[in-house]
Amino acid sequence: EDGIRDVAVTGVQTCALPIYLGAGTGPGLNLTTAQMNRISATSLNISSTGGLTVSGALDTAGGGALATVANLSLSGVTIDNSGGLISLPSGAVTLAADDMALGQSVNGTLVTLQPLSSLRTINLGTNAAGTLGLTAAELNAITATTALVVDGTSVFAPISVSAPIAPSGTGTLALRTSNTVTQTAGATITVPSLRVQGSTGVTLTQPNNVATLAGSSSGTFSFTDAAALTVGSVNGQNGISSSTLILNADSMTFTQTLSASTANLLPVTAGRGFDLGTKVGGALSFDAADFGNLSASNINIGGATFGPIAVTAAMARPGSNVNLIADSMTINAALTANSVSVRPATAGTTIDLGTRSAGTLGLTATEVGNLNGAGSLIVGDFSNTASVVISAPVTHTGATSVRS
């Protein structure tokens, strides 16, 4: 007799002693595979104020323990599954601990990893003392068919990526916290779909490799991608919302809304130009659908180290102030917004209205007419514009401001 009868579990089971699941004769509560298979539960939560050790396979599909448990949550100061895998291929697995040793695989539809203590840093890539450290190998041991979620929201835990990670057992990674999400130099993220929620800030500015991105922040959301980037839907998040948004990628497509007070859109490669209106290779290009998904009060396109800006098809963003920043522009189609500003990227540059003269940011009369029609047009700025010269007749029917 194994000392335990069939048990139907409806609540959270908590123990003040260390717990050993599957096998073992450690100094605490030991539950064998046979004993655990007497448990029937839609959701089983096992919590210890000490450590929790998986010492035998917890495998609902392979004849191990928990054959009749749909979803599993394990919580302890430490969690160590070096002695047995955790596999619920049709259910969700949640592991909550301040320290984890994931020595064998963890398998579920949705796998969530989270710390217990307030402000406990989640360190992805390095198993550093004093943090919930998860190495790349430990993350690769996780199979999550829906998503792998790293969650510090409830304990205000910052998330730091300290070494390159590329979770091989999932197509979707979600990093969520009420604190910040950051990465150190060289600590890139490679995953097909990424959701990032950092309430106080997101700074992921290494050359990451992500196909689809979604996220949110009440502060600045800054992301760099070495691959072609689509802002879409990931793990229940549609698009990106933040106060200040900074996206760096050589190719961008927006299928969901980008909501921000200020949006800065920049390529990764120095000298790369911009095409507003037509999706083309060799430039950071946006079509009308992309532009329609940019819900930002201020949209900044261009900068000091980047190439020329071309408007090749009619583009409209009525609620936004669109700021074009480059030393060379070609405005071959109408650009309509709440206001449009044009200014050079290099200090000491002259703007020539009427003629495309060498050494200046030159715009013909037709180009000036394409800049916001009857709306507000701002020419120049107080930092980079040396002077504004009108070398030929130009007409703009809306309010016009000239600055230098």
Side-chain angles (χ1 to χ4, degrees):
E1 180 66 41
D2 55 30
I4 189 170
R5 296 182 180 275
D6 293 353
V7 177
V9 178
T10 58
V12 178
Q13 309 306 302
T14 305
C15 178
L17 299 172
I19 298 176
Y20 296 82
L21 303 177
T25 55
L29 175 62
N30 294 270
L31 296 174
T32 67
T33 297
Q35 289 172 325
M36 295 189 69
N37 272 334
R38 297 286 182 88
I39 300 172
S40 176
T42 300
S43 296
L44 175 61
N45 304 283
I46 300 177
S47 177
S48 171
T49 56
L52 196 152
T53 300
V54 179
S55 50
L58 306 184
D59 186 357
T60 61
L66 303 182
T68 55
V69 170
N71 303 293
L72 176 65
S73 177
L74 303 180
S75 175
V77 175
T78 62
I79 293 178
D80 185 343
N81 85 322
S82 300
L85 61 84
I86 302 171
S87 182
L88 281 77
S90 298
V93 176
T94 299
L95 305 181
D98 284 341
D99 193 17
M100 298 182 191
L102 303 182
Q104 294 202 36
S105 62
V106 178
N107 180 15
T109 54
L110 179 71
V111 176
T112 302
L113 309 176
Q114 58 194 49
L116 288 178
S117 298
S118 179
L119 294 171
R120 180 82 167 185
T121 296
I122 302 172
N123 189 328
L124 301 180
T126 308
N127 189 11
T131 71
L132 172 52
L134 297 162
T135 66
E138 288 178 307
L139 294 174
N140 287 343
I142 298 170
T143 298
T145 53
T146 299
L148 168 58
V149 178
V150 178
D151 193 352
T153 304
S154 63
V155 292
F156 200 66
I159 298 175
S160 173
V161 184
S162 61
I165 59 171
S168 58
T170 188
T172 299
L173 175 64
L175 307 179
R176 304 193 313 218
T177 182
S178 48
N179 205 305
T180 58
V181 181
T182 60
Q183 64 188 155
T184 59
T188 56
I189 300 170
T190 300
V191 70
S193 296
L194 176 66
R195 175 186 178 182
V196 187
Q197 174 190 326
S199 295
T200 59
V202 173
T203 307
L204 298 175
T205 54
Q206 295 301 298
N208 302 293
N209 194 323
V210 172
T212 304
L213 176 70
S216 64
S217 177
S218 297
T220 297
F221 189 109
S222 183
F223 188 84
T224 298
D225 201 345
L229 177 65
T230 295
V231 175
S233 299
V234 182
N235 188 235
Q237 172 78 40
N238 295 324
I240 300 175
S241 63
S242 67
S243 176
T244 299
L245 174 63
I246 305 170
L247 291 182
N248 293 264
D250 282 345
S251 174
M252 300 183 196
T253 299
F254 306 144
T255 61
Q256 294 289 333
T257 300
L258 288 74
S259 177
S261 176
T262 299
N264 301 280
L265 308 176
L266 300 167
V268 172
T269 304
R272 192 174 182 88
F274 302 79
D275 189 311
L276 305 184
T278 309
K279 302 292 273 190
V280 296
L284 177 53
S285 56
F286 305 97
D287 61 17
D290 295 321
F291 225 53
N293 278 319
L294 270 172
S295 179
S297 299
N298 300 286
I299 301 171
N300 299 322
I301 297 174
T305 62
F306 306 109
I309 294 174
V311 180
T312 57
M315 301 284 276
R317 188 61 254 176
S320 300
N321 303 314
V322 178
N323 307 305
L324 305 183
I325 309 161
D327 291 336
S328 175
M329 301 182 192
T330 304
I331 315 298
N332 289 334
L335 176 61
T336 306
N338 180 60
S339 73
V340 172
S341 76
V342 293
R343 60 181 188 262
T346 303
T349 300
T350 294
I351 298 177
D352 186 334
L353 299 183
T355 307
R356 299 186 61 82
S357 53
T360 71
L361 171 52
L363 298 169
T364 67
T366 299
E367 290 176 309
V368 172
N370 281 331
L371 287 169
N372 213 23
S376 175
L377 173 62
I378 301 169
V379 178
D381 64 356
F382 299 120
S383 55
N384 288 347
T385 305
S387 62
V388 178
V389 176
I390 302 175
S391 61
V394 295
T395 300
H396 187 268
T397 57
T400 305
S401 174
V402 178
R403 301 171 180 175
S404 66

